[in-house]
């Protein structure tokens, strides 16, 4: 059973592109953008909001960055928790139009997200970064896309120095972007990618066996129309992927996308190279009723008792974008026999 919660709604602002993490103390910290409109960044800032009751109510909403008027502006933030408990926010600063106009930064926060460093610049160019991914070895991976493909850089000293750029995926007939890199239990890395042609094509993936230094693929996944995948391991060892469903076809008003889905799969499927060797179980989470629907960038966590909490943005009954939360469990996908 899916339960919905209001996280943030301000009808004077377009609130969108959220992500969430769970602190060691049990607090949810959500970061999102507040701007004029999806297609109008004449005013933009990043925001933080918190919940101490597992996402049932939210408080302490505050600006994380100063309000900017036009360029440069902070675009799409992601938040994660390091193994030592500290929090990390990454975001792309847009300095000119189109996909080659972004540079990525990160902020380091204390374990409860009350104090944050100044933004620290990385050499990674591109837009719409993935969460900062910390491997068991301590290596950091940070990835974003440009017109030439999906790229990453890695750091073995917590962001003091970064590698040369590594190409994760590129294809002349595909528009690959917005990666979600998932470390599997055996050390394999799987990079789930949005395909942005507008044709409703499958999600694609690339695979790394050397901690992100090289990548093989591309391989299709049985997730049609998958935009902005966000992948993670559940306590069961299965994989959860939340994403916007984009069916393709002729656009009319807001008909280009109205659905937000969650999919369940497993680690063997994630490593498989043939589509027919993979299984997915797809569950609808929300539907945007607005004639100018817009939704689907998300983040999620799992509590110790198994509850899954997802954040995403949606227009629906609001004049502008709003941030919504969802609670469900793995058994809502699949009743074990």
């Amino acid at each position: 059973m899916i339960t919905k919660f209001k996280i943030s709604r301000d009808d004077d602002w377009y609130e969108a592109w959220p992500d969430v993490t769970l602190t060691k103390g049990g607090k949810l910290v959500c970061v999102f953008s507040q701007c004029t409109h999806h297609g109008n960044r004449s005013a933009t800032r990043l925001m933080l909001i918190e919940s101490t009751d597992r996402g049932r109510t939210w408080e302490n909403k505050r600006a994380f960055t100063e309000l900017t008027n036009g360029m440069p502006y902070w675009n799409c933030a992601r938040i994660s928790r390091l193994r030592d408990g500290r929090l990390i926010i990454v975001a792309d600063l847009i300095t000119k139009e189109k996909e080659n106009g972004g540079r990525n930064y990160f902020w380091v926060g204390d374990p409860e997200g009350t104090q944050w460093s100044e933004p620290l610049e990385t050499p990674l160019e591109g837009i719409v970064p993935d969460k900062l991914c910390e491997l068991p070895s301590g290596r950091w991976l940070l990835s974003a896309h440009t017109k030439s493909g999906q790229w990453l850089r890695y750091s073995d000293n917590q962001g003091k120095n970064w590698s040369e750029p590594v190409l994760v995926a590129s294809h002349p007939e595909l528009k690959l972007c917005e990666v979600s890199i998932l470390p599997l239990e055996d050390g394999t890395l799987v990079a789930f990618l949005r395909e942005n042609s507008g044709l409703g094509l499958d999600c694609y993936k690339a695979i790394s066996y050397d901690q992100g230094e090289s990548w093989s693929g591309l391989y299709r996944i049985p997730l049609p129309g998958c935009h902005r995948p966000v992948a993670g391991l559940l306590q069961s060892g299965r994989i959860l992927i939340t994403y916007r469903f984009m069916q393709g076809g002729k656009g009319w008003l807001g008909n280009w996308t109205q659905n937000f889905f969650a999919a369940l799969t497993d680690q063997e499927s994630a490593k498989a190279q043939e589509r027919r060797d993979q299984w997915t179980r797809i569950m609808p989470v929300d539907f945007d009723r607005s004639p100018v629907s817009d939704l689907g960038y998300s983040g999620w966590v799992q509590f110790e008792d198994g509850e899954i909490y997802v954040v995403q943005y949606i227009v629906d009954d609001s004049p502008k974008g709003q941030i919504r939360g969802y609670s469900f469990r793995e058994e809502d996908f699949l009743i074990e026999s």
Side-chain angles (χ1 to χ4, degrees):
M1 177 180 178
I2 299 172
T3 307
K4 301 180 184 180
F5 302 96
K6 174 186 173 182
I7 296 178
S8 180
R9 173 173 168 173
D10 183 337
D11 291 351
D12 292 330
W13 292 97
Y14 207 89
E15 297 187 326
W17 312 293
D19 193 19
V20 69
T21 196
L22 179 64
T23 71
K24 282 189 172 181
K27 181 171 68 175
L28 293 174
V29 181
C30 176
V31 62
F32 62 92
S33 294
Q34 195 179 66
C35 61
T36 307
H37 192 271
H38 190 151
N40 180 352
R41 303 301 179 84
S42 57
T44 306
R45 62 187 167 194
L46 301 180
M47 305 291 293
L48 287 180
I49 194 168
E50 302 172 348
S51 174
T52 56
D53 60 2
R54 300 167 63 107
R56 274 58 186 168
T57 61
W58 292 80
E59 59 187 5
N60 197 20
K61 179 178 175 180
R62 61 198 186 275
F64 183 67
T65 61
E66 297 293 329
L67 188 67
T68 58
N69 296 306
M71 292 187 190
Y73 63 86
W74 298 108
N75 184 36
C76 189
R78 308 294 285 160
I79 187 169
S80 52
R81 189 179 85 192
L82 297 175
R83 294 161 68 89
D84 65 11
R86 292 178 300 159
L87 306 186
I88 292 281
I89 289 175
V90 299
D92 48 334
L93 184 68
I94 304 300
T95 57
K96 59 183 179 180
E97 296 291 346
K98 306 301 181 184
E99 291 171 306
N100 290 334
R103 176 61 69 94
N104 289 271
Y105 293 72
F106 69 96
W107 296 257
V108 182
D110 64 51
E112 291 301 306
T114 56
Q115 300 290 330
W116 293 88
S117 72
E118 293 298 312
L120 303 170
E121 186 175 2
T122 79
L124 179 67
E125 297 182 349
I127 66 170
V128 192
D130 187 15
K131 288 174 177 282
L132 188 140
C133 178
E134 185 182 31
L135 303 183
S137 66
R139 173 172 287 183
W140 288 5
L141 307 179
L142 185 58
S143 185
H145 71 270
T146 70
K147 287 183 178 179
S148 62
Q150 185 74 43
W151 296 86
L152 71 72
R153 291 181 185 252
Y154 59 85
S155 173
D156 291 319
N157 56 10
Q158 297 198 332
K160 296 181 178 66
N161 303 102
W162 295 87
S163 72
E164 292 300 308
V166 175
L167 182 62
V168 177
S170 181
H171 191 284
E173 296 179 4
L174 299 172
K175 296 182 179 180
L176 301 169
C177 60
E178 296 184 0
V179 78
S180 179
I181 297 176
L182 177 62
L184 303 183
E185 291 173 340
D186 67 358
T188 304
L189 304 181
V190 182
F192 298 94
L193 294 143
R194 167 179 174 173
E195 199 291 314
N196 201 33
S197 66
L199 299 175
L201 302 182
D202 282 341
C203 181
Y204 282 78
K205 66 185 176 187
I207 298 176
S208 175
Y209 304 100
D210 56 9
Q211 295 196 91
E213 295 181 22
S214 64
W215 295 83
S216 62
L218 296 159
Y219 311 112
R220 293 167 58 206
I221 306 169
L223 287 180
C226 175
H227 275 203
R228 190 47 162 174
V230 178
L233 289 180
L234 296 169
Q235 293 164 6
S236 67
R238 292 192 179 114
I239 296 168
L240 177 69
I241 304 173
T242 55
Y243 64 100
R244 167 204 289 162
F245 173 67
M246 200 292 238
Q247 67 269 33
K250 182 179 179 181
W252 173 78
L253 291 179
N255 280 358
W256 73 292
T257 177
Q258 312 88 44
N259 292 281
F260 179 60
F261 288 171
L264 196 66
T265 186
D266 63 13
Q267 296 185 52
E268 291 306 310
S269 293
K271 291 184 284 187
Q273 298 181 8
E274 296 294 331
R275 192 183 196 276
R276 63 177 174 268
D277 294 332
Q278 306 168 59
W279 69 267
T280 57
R281 191 171 178 92
I282 300 170
M283 181 173 72
V285 177
D286 209 348
F287 176 79
D288 194 331
R289 299 167 293 173
S290 171
V292 286
S293 56
D294 185 19
L295 81 173
Y297 282 53
S298 62
W300 61 269
V301 298
Q302 187 175 32
F303 294 103
E304 288 185 1
D305 66 359
E307 179 190 353
I308 299 163
Y309 195 93
V310 180
V311 302
Q312 74 128 358
Y313 82 100
I314 189 169
V315 179
D316 198 38
D317 60 350
S318 169
K320 299 183 179 181
Q322 59 182 305
I323 312 298
R324 210 174 256 177
Y326 308 84
S327 169
F328 53 86
R329 294 180 176 272
E330 187 174 344
E331 51 264 35
D332 292 320
F333 282 92
L334 185 66
I335 299 175
E336 303 285 1
S337 58

